[in-house]
């Protein structure tokens, strides 16, 4: 009799403890484990400990009565039940976010954290003013503004959207074309004094170069403005860099010619610190996209940010509306 009472009390305690578990948080943790690729990576992204993440995974497995992950020292794999759970959990998490948004803010006011990645120079110089104004208009919103030029991996990086300049469109994501970035072919007057006058694209091969390695390395393509004739020019860079600031500053120092976003050198050209070469020949502009993963529901913070980018991007200094192409 005493033993039965003891077992009953233990069972009641377990049930009460499980009732206190936030099942949505357990599913969100499981989603993060799967998308981050490991418990330790998920813990870093969730800003908690690996032990906490492990306990949440065990709690979810206990609640569902199935094994969700197979783990070894060096690998992690979803079970068949884990794959089904992941797909269902994504739908439930999306629906829960939609419910929170709908009930907490009837006027569609964005709340919470929006994680955005943008190219370093572009995000720092072109977008900080509209971003600041955006945050002032929406006091319940917080933005994590990550500036780097790495390839976007939404699953492992735990970001909501990214601004990409000149990158190929990934068909697995939603890509919204916002604007185009015209480019300028520039060099310092001191550099040009050391060489014969440049009158044709082919003569550019005789000059030293600073290459923006993200977009070009050993050759560039230029188009004649009158008939859109294209010519490819081989170049020999003295410096390869993925930094727009480094390309601009070394061009100013006379290291080499560079083909660079026009907005970054507008003032240098006006002041005469840099000279535009062959203005009748132009490189293709770089497209600017806002990219985010496909989902059944997008929270107000992402929708509002997309609306902001659509409005302000074409009007930024050195930018233009994208041209329609066949």
């Amino acid at each position: 009799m005493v033993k039965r009472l003891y077992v009953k009390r233990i069972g009641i305690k377990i049930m009460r403890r499980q009732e206190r578990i936030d099942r949505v948080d357990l599913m969100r943790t499981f989603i993060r484990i799967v998308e981050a690729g490991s418990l330790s990576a998920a813990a870093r992204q969730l800003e908690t400990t690996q032990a906490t993440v492990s306990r949440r995974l065990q709690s979810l497995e206990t609640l569902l009565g199935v094994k969700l992950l197979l783990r070894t020292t060096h690998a992690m794999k979803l079970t068949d039940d884990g794959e089904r759970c992941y797909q269902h959990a994504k739908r439930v998490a999306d629906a829960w976010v939609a419910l929170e948004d709908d009930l907490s803010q009837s006027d569609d006011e964005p709340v919470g954290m929006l994680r955005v990645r943008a190219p370093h120079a572009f995000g720092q110089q072109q977008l900080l003013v509209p971003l600041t104004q955006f945050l002032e208009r929406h006091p319940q919103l917080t933005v994590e503004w990550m500036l780097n030029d790495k390839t976007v991996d939404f699953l492992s990086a735990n970001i909501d959207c990214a601004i990409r300049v000149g990158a190929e469109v990934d068909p697995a994501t939603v890509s919204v074309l916002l604007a185009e970035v015209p480019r300028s072919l520039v060099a310092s007057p001191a550099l040009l004094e050391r060489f014969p006058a440049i009158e044709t694209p082919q003569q550019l091969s005789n000059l030293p170069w600073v290459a923006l390695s993200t977009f070009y390395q050993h050759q560039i393509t230029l188009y004649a403005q009158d008939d859109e004739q294209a010519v490819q020019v081989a170049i020999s860079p003295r410096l390869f860099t993925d930094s727009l600031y480094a390309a601009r500053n070394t061009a100013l120092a006379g290291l080499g010619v560079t083909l660079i976003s026009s907005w970054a050198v507008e003032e240098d050209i006006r002041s005469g610190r840099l000279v535009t070469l062959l203005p009748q020949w132009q490189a293709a502009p770089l497209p600017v996209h806002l990219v985010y993963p496909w989902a059944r529901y997008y929270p107000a913070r992402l929708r509002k940010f997309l609306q902001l980018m659509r409005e302000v991007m074409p009007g930024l200094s050195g930018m233009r509306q994208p041209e329609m192409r066949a």
Side-chain angles (χ1 to χ4, degrees), residues 294-315:
W294 184 89
R296 290 176 174 81
Y297 172 79
Y298 299 108
R301 54 185 175 270
L302 179 57
R303 299 197 305 270
K304 292 289 187 179
F305 186 73
L306 173 57
Q307 179 182 343
L308 171 75
M309 291 294 101
R310 285 183 184 274
E311 292 172 356
V312 305
M313 190 70 72

Side-chain angles (χ1 to χ4, degrees), residues 118-119 122 148-152 162-170 175-183 212-216 244 261 263 284-291 313 319 322 325:
F122 191 64
N148 64 63
D149 299 286
K150 297 178 182 177
T151 302
V152 179
I163 297 165
R164 306 196 68 185
V165 177
E168 294 291 329
V169 175
D170 183 353
S175 298
V176 180
L177 181 60
L178 300 171
E180 289 181 338
V181 182
R183 293 188 284 174
L212 267 170
S213 54
T214 309
F215 306 116
Y216 61 93
L244 186 145
S261 299
W263 65 264
L286 300 174
V288 182
H289 291 90
L290 183 71
V291 184
M313 190 70 72
M319 310 290 285
R325 293 179 173 85

Side-chain angles (χ1 to χ4, degrees), residues 34 61 68 71 80 86 124 148-149 161 164 186 231 304 317:
V34 174
E61 289 179 329
L68 300 176
R71 286 183 287 161
D80 289 343
Y86 172 70
Q124 181 172 321
N148 64 63
D149 299 286
C161 63
R164 306 196 68 185
V186 295
V231 58
K304 292 289 187 179
S317 175

Side-chain angles (χ1 to χ4, degrees), residues 151-163:
T151 302
V152 179
D153 185 342
F154 290 102
L155 296 184
S156 62
N158 189 26
I159 59 176
D160 297 300
C161 63
I163 297 165

Side-chain angles (χ1 to χ4, degrees), residues 14 18 56-66 68:
I14 293 173
Q18 289 181 343
R56 291 177 186 173
L57 173 61
Q58 291 173 6
S59 295
L60 184 60
E61 289 179 329
T62 300
L63 283 170
L64 297 175
V66 295
L68 300 176

Side-chain angles (χ1 to χ4, degrees), residues 19 41 49 88 91 103 132 257:
E19 285 171 0
T49 65
H88 283 292
R91 289 193 290 270
L103 295 180
T132 300
V257 182

Side-chain angles (χ1 to χ4, degrees), residues 2-309:
V2 173
K3 185 177 181 180
R4 285 200 300 271
L5 287 173
Y6 175 80
V7 172
K8 184 177 181 181
R9 287 173 182 171
I10 292 296
I12 291 172
K13 287 181 180 179
I14 293 173
M15 289 177 62
R16 286 175 177 171
R17 186 170 67 247
Q18 289 181 343
E19 285 171 0
R20 290 196 297 268
I21 295 173
D22 187 329
R23 287 161 173 77
V24 174
D25 277 347
L26 294 184
M27 287 188 290
R28 284 172 172 164
T29 300
F30 178 61
I31 292 168
R32 184 51 41 208
I33 293 169
V34 174
E35 296 182 348
S38 70
L39 271 68
S40 58
R44 288 193 299 271
Q45 294 178 11
L46 294 170
E47 298 181 347
T48 187
T49 65
Q50 184 172 338
T52 298
V53 170
S54 180
R55 283 197 302 271
R56 291 177 186 173
L57 173 61
Q58 291 173 6
S59 295
L60 184 60
E61 289 179 329
T62 300
L63 283 170
L64 297 175
V66 295
K67 191 71 173 175
L68 300 176
L69 289 175
L70 298 176
R71 286 183 287 161
T72 65
T73 305
H74 304 291
M76 182 183 77
K77 182 181 178 181
L78 281 171
T79 64
D80 289 343
D81 289 326
E83 178 62 39
R84 287 195 294 272
C85 179
Y86 172 70
Q87 298 300 332
H88 283 292
K90 287 283 287 183
R91 289 193 290 270
V92 170
D94 287 346
W96 186 259
V97 171
L99 176 61
E100 289 180 324
D101 265 10
D102 186 55
L103 295 180
S104 63
Q105 296 294 329
S106 59
D107 58 353
D108 207 29
E109 174 67 18
V111 297
M113 172 74 77
L114 179 70
R115 296 176 175 86
V116 185
R117 177 178 287 179
H120 187 271
F122 191 64
Q124 181 172 321
Q125 188 156 329
Q126 291 284 77
L127 296 176
L128 278 185
V129 171
L131 175 65
T132 300
Q133 295 170 346
F134 181 64
L135 286 169
E136 288 174 347
R137 287 199 304 271
H138 304 296
Q140 299 184 72
L141 178 67
T142 301
V143 171
E144 185 174 352
W145 192 240
M146 293 166 278
L147 301 182
N148 64 63
D149 299 286
K150 297 178 182 177
T151 302
V152 179
D153 185 342
F154 290 102
L155 296 184
S156 62
N158 189 26
I159 59 176
D160 297 300
C161 63
I163 297 165
R164 306 196 68 185
V165 177
E168 294 291 329
V169 175
D170 183 353
T173 63
V174 180
S175 298
V176 180
L177 181 60
L178 300 171
E180 289 181 338
V181 182
R183 293 188 284 174
S184 296
L185 186 63
V186 295
S188 70
L191 175 70
L192 296 177
E193 288 175 359
R194 294 159 36 199
F195 296 89
I198 302 299
E199 298 177 350
T200 67
Q202 289 75 17
Q203 290 176 289
L204 293 169
S205 297
N206 301 324
L207 299 177
W209 275 77
V210 175
L212 267 170
S213 54
T214 309
F215 306 116
Y216 61 93
Q217 296 186 23
H218 298 290
Q219 70 176 25
I220 61 169
T221 302
L222 299 175
Y223 298 87
Q225 295 303 290
D226 51 0
D227 58 7
E228 295 190 355
Q229 174 191 356
V231 58
Q232 290 188 334
V233 179
I235 61 173
S236 299
R238 297 289 313 284
L239 174 69
F240 297 90
T241 179
D242 63 354
S243 168
L244 186 145
Y245 285 144
R248 169 186 174 269
N249 291 337
T250 51
L252 284 168
L255 182 64
V257 182
T258 192
L259 178 62
I260 194 169
S261 299
S262 297
W263 65 264
V265 291
E266 280 183 329
E267 182 56 36
D268 298 318
I269 294 171
R270 280 195 295 268
S271 66
R273 293 190 295 267
L274 291 174
V275 176
T276 302
L277 301 179
L278 301 176
Q280 69 275 26
W281 291 85
Q282 298 286 321
L286 300 174
V288 182
H289 291 90
L290 183 71
V291 184
Y292 48 93
W294 184 89
R296 290 176 174 81
Y297 172 79
Y298 299 108
R301 54 185 175 270
L302 179 57
R303 299 197 305 270
K304 292 289 187 179
F305 186 73
L306 173 57
Q307 179 182 343
L308 171 75
M309 291 294 101

